[in-house]
Amino acid sequence: MNIIISYLLIISIIYFLTIPYRDKIDNMLKEINLSTFNALWLAYVEGLFFGAIIMIIIL
């Protein structure tokens, strides 16, 4: 249970730290013509990757 709470805490902190850069990120996605669908899949893969790294570090 502590692993899940730690993971959610880290994700929440990263979310709040990146809110000010929301417009810059949107502009970057427009410049490279990345669709919302592709951006969502990219975020999903990144989430799996970083989640796995965090789980390896914690365990």
Side-chain angles (χ1 to χ4, degrees):
M1 194 65 166
N2 290 335
I3 294 172
I4 295 171
I5 293 171
S6 300
Y7 182 73
L8 291 175
L9 183 64
I10 291 169
I11 295 301
S12 299
I13 291 170
I14 291 171
Y15 173 75
F16 286 115
L17 288 175
T18 57
I19 285 176
Y21 305 106
R22 180 175 46 199
D23 294 330
K24 289 182 181 179
I25 294 170
D26 286 340
N27 288 335
M28 286 172 36
L29 292 175
K30 283 182 186 177
E31 288 177 6
I32 60 174
N33 294 327
L34 189 63
S35 69
T36 304
F37 178 77
N38 289 337
L40 287 173
W41 274 107
L42 181 62
Y44 177 72
V45 170
E46 285 181 39
L48 287 175
F49 179 73
F50 286 114
I53 290 174
I54 290 170
M55 293 299 176
I56 290 171
I57 291 171
I58 291 174
L59 294 177

